[in-house]
Amino acid sequence: MTTEEDRSTAPPGSTRRAFAGRLSWGLADQAASSISNFAVGVYVARSLGVTAFGVFSLAWVTYGVVLNVSRGLATDPLVVRFSGVSDASWRRAVARSSGTALGVGAAVGAGCLIAGLALGGEVGPAFACLGVMLPGLLLQDSWRYAFFAAGTGRKAFVNDVVWGVALVPAMVVAAHVHSVAAFVLAWGTSATVAAGYGLLQSGIRPRLSLARAWLREQRDLGYRYLVENVSLSGASQLRAYGLGAIVGVGAVGAVRGAELLLGPFLALLMGLSLVTVAEAARVLRQAPQRLGRFCLLLGGGQAVAALCWGGALLLMPDRLGELVLGDVWTSAAQLVVPVTLGVAGAGLGTGAAAGLRALAAARRSLRCQLFASACYVTGGLGGAALAGTVGSAWGVATATLAASAVWWLQLRSALREHHLNSIPEVRTQ
C-alpha cells in the first residue's frame, strides 16, 4: 500500500492516473451492483405482480435501513479514517469493522426473524427470511467498503460480480417456488456466497469480539453517522409504510417500479460513498483547495445524468415498459417525471455530502440529513394524503431538491471553517 510520503512525492500525472483507475473501478463496481439490483427488481415484479412486489419492496426497504445502521457504525468511519493508510493499519481496522457489520446483521436479523414469525401472512415469511439473510448481506457490503478504502476497487467489483453470478440460479429456483419469501432467500443466499468470497479476497477474518472496541474508538463519528444514515433509510421506510396505509400496498409497488426504471442512478447513489468519500478524503489530504470543485463536479454530473436518463424514459414505448415491468408498468409510468427530479436532486446533494464526510464534519452532515429526512416524510405522506401515489412522488421530489440546497450551504460553511482553522498550522511550520 502506498505510504503518505510516496503520495506526496508522486508526479501529478501518476496521481491523476491513480485517481482515474480508482474511479473507473468504482464505476464498474456500481454498474455491477446496479445490474444485479435492477435484475432482481424486474424479475420479482414480473413474477409476482404489483401487490406481492409491494411486499418484497417492504422487505427491501427494511434491508436498506439495517444496511445504513451497519454503514454508520462500521464502514463509514473506516472509509473516513482508514483510506490510504498503511496496510497493517488497514487490516486491523477492517477486522474490527467487518466484525461490527456481522454483529449488526446477527442482532437485527434475530429481531426480524422473531417479528416475521409473529406476523404471519405473506409479509411475515418475507421478513423472517430477511432476518436469516442479514448477516451475509451486511458482511458482503462491508468488504466493498474495505476494498475501496484500500484503493483496490477491482476486488469490490469482482465480489459484486460473484454475487450477480450466484443470483442467476438462485432466482430460477425462487421462480419455481413462486413466493416472496423464496425470492428474499435467493437474494440473500447469493450475497452470502459473495461475502464468503470476500474472506478469501482479503485474507482477513472478521473479529466479532472486537466490535465493541471499534464502536468505542469511532464513537465520535459512528453514532452521528448512525443517526444520519438511519434517518435517511428510516424516512424511506416510513414513507413506504405510510403510503401503503394511505393508498394501498400496490402504491408501494408502483413507486418501487418507477425507481427501478431509474435503477442505475439509485443504486449509484446508494453505494457511491464507496468511491466518493474515500476520494474526497484523498483530495482533502493532497489538495484541500480543490475539494469544493471536486464535490461540485461529482454532484452536478450525477444530476445531469439522472435528468438525461429520465428524459429517455419518457420516450420509451409502453410495449417496452410492459416487457420490463409487466403489470407494474402502467402505474409506475405516471411517476417517471417526479421520481427523476427527486433522483437528480439527491445526486446533486451527494456531492456536498461526500465533502462533509471527508471533512469529518459529522455535526453538519447530521443536521442536513435530519432536515432532509423530515422533508422526505412530510412531502411523501402529505402528498399521498392530497393526491395519492402521484402526489407522494411530487412531494418527495420537492423535499429532495430543498434538502440538496441545505447540503451545499453547509458544505460551503464547513470549507470556510476548515480554511480558517488550517491557517495557524501553516504559520507555525
Short mmCIF file of all heavy atoms in Angstrom, two decimals, residues 13-42:
data_model
loop_
_atom_site.label_atom_id
_atom_site.label_comp_id
_atom_site.label_asym_id
_atom_site.label_seq_id
_atom_site.Cartn_x
_atom_site.Cartn_y
_atom_site.Cartn_z
N GLY A 13 1.00 13.54 -12.82
CA GLY A 13 0.40 12.65 -13.80
C GLY A 13 0.07 11.29 -13.22
O GLY A 13 -1.00 10.73 -13.48
N SER A 14 0.98 10.74 -12.41
CA SER A 14 0.72 9.43 -11.82
C SER A 14 -0.41 9.50 -10.81
O SER A 14 -1.19 8.55 -10.65
CB SER A 14 1.98 8.89 -11.15
OG SER A 14 2.37 9.72 -10.06
N THR A 15 -0.52 10.64 -10.09
CA THR A 15 -1.61 10.81 -9.14
C THR A 15 -2.95 10.83 -9.87
O THR A 15 -3.93 10.21 -9.43
CB THR A 15 -1.43 12.13 -8.35
OG1 THR A 15 -0.18 12.08 -7.66
CG2 THR A 15 -2.56 12.32 -7.35
N ARG A 16 -3.00 11.54 -11.00
CA ARG A 16 -4.24 11.59 -11.77
C ARG A 16 -4.59 10.22 -12.33
O ARG A 16 -5.76 9.82 -12.36
CB ARG A 16 -4.13 12.62 -12.89
CG ARG A 16 -4.23 14.06 -12.43
CD ARG A 16 -4.42 15.00 -13.61
NE ARG A 16 -3.24 15.04 -14.47
CZ ARG A 16 -2.25 15.91 -14.31
NH1 ARG A 16 -2.29 16.80 -13.33
NH2 ARG A 16 -1.21 15.91 -15.13
N ARG A 17 -3.59 9.49 -12.80
CA ARG A 17 -3.85 8.15 -13.33
C ARG A 17 -4.36 7.22 -12.23
O ARG A 17 -5.25 6.40 -12.45
CB ARG A 17 -2.59 7.57 -13.96
CG ARG A 17 -2.25 8.17 -15.32
CD ARG A 17 -1.20 7.33 -16.03
NE ARG A 17 0.07 7.33 -15.31
CZ ARG A 17 1.03 8.23 -15.47
NH1 ARG A 17 0.86 9.23 -16.34
NH2 ARG A 17 2.16 8.15 -14.81
N ALA A 18 -3.78 7.34 -11.05
CA ALA A 18 -4.23 6.51 -9.93
C ALA A 18 -5.68 6.83 -9.56
O ALA A 18 -6.49 5.93 -9.33
CB ALA A 18 -3.32 6.73 -8.71
N PHE A 19 -6.00 8.14 -9.55
CA PHE A 19 -7.38 8.54 -9.26
C PHE A 19 -8.33 8.00 -10.32
O PHE A 19 -9.41 7.46 -10.02
CB PHE A 19 -7.49 10.06 -9.19
CG PHE A 19 -8.90 10.57 -9.20
CD1 PHE A 19 -9.73 10.39 -8.11
CD2 PHE A 19 -9.43 11.20 -10.32
CE1 PHE A 19 -11.04 10.84 -8.12
CE2 PHE A 19 -10.72 11.66 -10.35
CZ PHE A 19 -11.52 11.48 -9.24
N ALA A 20 -7.94 8.14 -11.60
CA ALA A 20 -8.79 7.65 -12.69
C ALA A 20 -9.00 6.15 -12.58
O ALA A 20 -10.11 5.64 -12.82
CB ALA A 20 -8.17 8.00 -14.04
N GLY A 21 -7.94 5.43 -12.18
CA GLY A 21 -8.07 3.99 -12.03
C GLY A 21 -9.04 3.63 -10.91
O GLY A 21 -9.90 2.76 -11.08
N ARG A 22 -8.91 4.30 -9.76
CA ARG A 22 -9.82 4.01 -8.64
C ARG A 22 -11.25 4.37 -9.00
O ARG A 22 -12.19 3.64 -8.68
CB ARG A 22 -9.38 4.78 -7.39
CG ARG A 22 -8.07 4.30 -6.78
CD ARG A 22 -7.81 4.92 -5.42
NE ARG A 22 -7.70 6.37 -5.49
CZ ARG A 22 -6.55 7.03 -5.63
NH1 ARG A 22 -5.42 6.35 -5.76
NH2 ARG A 22 -6.52 8.34 -5.66
N LEU A 23 -11.43 5.50 -9.69
CA LEU A 23 -12.78 5.92 -10.07
C LEU A 23 -13.38 4.96 -11.08
O LEU A 23 -14.57 4.63 -11.02
CB LEU A 23 -12.74 7.34 -10.64
CG LEU A 23 -14.10 7.98 -10.97
CD1 LEU A 23 -14.96 8.05 -9.72
CD2 LEU A 23 -13.90 9.36 -11.57
N SER A 24 -12.56 4.48 -12.01
CA SER A 24 -13.05 3.53 -13.01
C SER A 24 -13.55 2.24 -12.36
O SER A 24 -14.61 1.72 -12.71
CB SER A 24 -11.95 3.21 -14.02
OG SER A 24 -11.57 4.36 -14.74
N TRP A 25 -12.76 1.74 -11.41
CA TRP A 25 -13.21 0.54 -10.72
C TRP A 25 -14.46 0.82 -9.88
O TRP A 25 -15.33 -0.05 -9.74
CB TRP A 25 -12.11 -0.02 -9.84
CG TRP A 25 -11.07 -0.78 -10.62
CD1 TRP A 25 -9.76 -0.48 -10.77
CD2 TRP A 25 -11.29 -1.96 -11.40
NE1 TRP A 25 -9.13 -1.39 -11.58
CE2 TRP A 25 -10.05 -2.31 -11.98
CE3 TRP A 25 -12.42 -2.77 -11.67
CZ2 TRP A 25 -9.91 -3.43 -12.80
CZ3 TRP A 25 -12.27 -3.87 -12.49
CH2 TRP A 25 -11.03 -4.20 -13.04
N GLY A 26 -14.55 2.03 -9.34
CA GLY A 26 -15.75 2.39 -8.59
C GLY A 26 -16.98 2.39 -9.48
O GLY A 26 -18.05 1.87 -9.12
N LEU A 27 -16.84 2.98 -10.67
CA LEU A 27 -17.96 3.00 -11.61
C LEU A 27 -18.31 1.59 -12.08
O LEU A 27 -19.48 1.24 -12.22
CB LEU A 27 -17.62 3.88 -12.81
CG LEU A 27 -17.47 5.38 -12.50
CD1 LEU A 27 -16.99 6.14 -13.73
CD2 LEU A 27 -18.79 5.95 -11.99
N ALA A 28 -17.28 0.77 -12.32
CA ALA A 28 -17.53 -0.60 -12.73
C ALA A 28 -18.25 -1.38 -11.64
O ALA A 28 -19.19 -2.16 -11.91
CB ALA A 28 -16.21 -1.29 -13.08
N ASP A 29 -17.85 -1.17 -10.39
CA ASP A 29 -18.50 -1.86 -9.28
C ASP A 29 -19.95 -1.43 -9.16
O ASP A 29 -20.84 -2.27 -8.96
CB ASP A 29 -17.75 -1.56 -7.98
CG ASP A 29 -18.44 -2.17 -6.78
OD1 ASP A 29 -18.42 -3.40 -6.66
OD2 ASP A 29 -19.01 -1.41 -5.98
N GLN A 30 -20.19 -0.12 -9.28
CA GLN A 30 -21.56 0.35 -9.19
C GLN A 30 -22.41 -0.16 -10.36
O GLN A 30 -23.60 -0.41 -10.21
CB GLN A 30 -21.60 1.87 -9.13
CG GLN A 30 -21.08 2.44 -7.83
CD GLN A 30 -21.75 1.81 -6.63
OE1 GLN A 30 -22.96 1.63 -6.61
NE2 GLN A 30 -20.97 1.45 -5.62
N ALA A 31 -21.79 -0.30 -11.53
CA ALA A 31 -22.52 -0.86 -12.67
C ALA A 31 -22.93 -2.30 -12.37
O ALA A 31 -24.07 -2.71 -12.63
CB ALA A 31 -21.65 -0.80 -13.92
N ALA A 32 -22.00 -3.08 -11.80
CA ALA A 32 -22.32 -4.47 -11.44
C ALA A 32 -23.43 -4.52 -10.40
O ALA A 32 -24.37 -5.32 -10.49
CB ALA A 32 -21.07 -5.18 -10.92
N SER A 33 -23.34 -3.63 -9.39
CA SER A 33 -24.36 -3.58 -8.35
C SER A 33 -25.70 -3.15 -8.92
O SER A 33 -26.75 -3.70 -8.58
CB SER A 33 -23.91 -2.62 -7.24
OG SER A 33 -24.90 -2.50 -6.25
N SER A 34 -25.67 -2.15 -9.82
CA SER A 34 -26.91 -1.65 -10.42
C SER A 34 -27.60 -2.74 -11.23
O SER A 34 -28.81 -2.91 -11.17
CB SER A 34 -26.60 -0.46 -11.33
OG SER A 34 -26.06 0.61 -10.61
N ILE A 35 -26.82 -3.46 -12.02
CA ILE A 35 -27.39 -4.51 -12.86
C ILE A 35 -28.04 -5.60 -12.00
O ILE A 35 -29.15 -6.07 -12.28
CB ILE A 35 -26.31 -5.11 -13.77
CG1 ILE A 35 -25.89 -4.08 -14.83
CG2 ILE A 35 -26.81 -6.38 -14.45
CD1 ILE A 35 -24.66 -4.48 -15.62
N SER A 36 -27.36 -5.98 -10.92
CA SER A 36 -27.91 -7.01 -10.03
C SER A 36 -29.21 -6.54 -9.39
O SER A 36 -30.22 -7.26 -9.38
CB SER A 36 -26.89 -7.38 -8.95
OG SER A 36 -25.74 -7.96 -9.51
N ASN A 37 -29.20 -5.32 -8.83
CA ASN A 37 -30.40 -4.80 -8.18
C ASN A 37 -31.55 -4.64 -9.17
O ASN A 37 -32.71 -4.95 -8.87
CB ASN A 37 -30.10 -3.45 -7.52
CG ASN A 37 -29.20 -3.58 -6.32
OD1 ASN A 37 -29.12 -4.64 -5.71
ND2 ASN A 37 -28.49 -2.52 -5.98
N PHE A 38 -31.24 -4.15 -10.36
CA PHE A 38 -32.26 -3.96 -11.38
C PHE A 38 -32.85 -5.31 -11.81
O PHE A 38 -34.06 -5.47 -11.94
CB PHE A 38 -31.65 -3.24 -12.58
CG PHE A 38 -32.64 -2.94 -13.68
CD1 PHE A 38 -33.56 -1.91 -13.55
CD2 PHE A 38 -32.63 -3.69 -14.85
CE1 PHE A 38 -34.48 -1.65 -14.56
CE2 PHE A 38 -33.54 -3.42 -15.86
CZ PHE A 38 -34.47 -2.39 -15.72
N ALA A 39 -31.96 -6.29 -12.01
CA ALA A 39 -32.43 -7.61 -12.44
C ALA A 39 -33.32 -8.25 -11.39
O ALA A 39 -34.36 -8.84 -11.72
CB ALA A 39 -31.22 -8.51 -12.73
N VAL A 40 -32.94 -8.13 -10.12
CA VAL A 40 -33.76 -8.69 -9.05
C VAL A 40 -35.14 -8.04 -9.04
O VAL A 40 -36.17 -8.72 -9.00
CB VAL A 40 -33.07 -8.51 -7.68
CG1 VAL A 40 -34.04 -8.85 -6.55
CG2 VAL A 40 -31.85 -9.39 -7.58
N GLY A 41 -35.17 -6.70 -9.08
CA GLY A 41 -36.44 -6.00 -9.04
C GLY A 41 -37.34 -6.34 -10.20
O GLY A 41 -38.54 -6.61 -10.03
N VAL A 42 -36.78 -6.35 -11.41
CA VAL A 42 -37.58 -6.65 -12.60
C VAL A 42 -38.09 -8.09 -12.56
O VAL A 42 -39.26 -8.36 -12.86
CB VAL A 42 -36.73 -6.41 -13.88
CG1 VAL A 42 -37.43 -6.99 -15.11
CG2 VAL A 42 -36.50 -4.92 -14.07
#
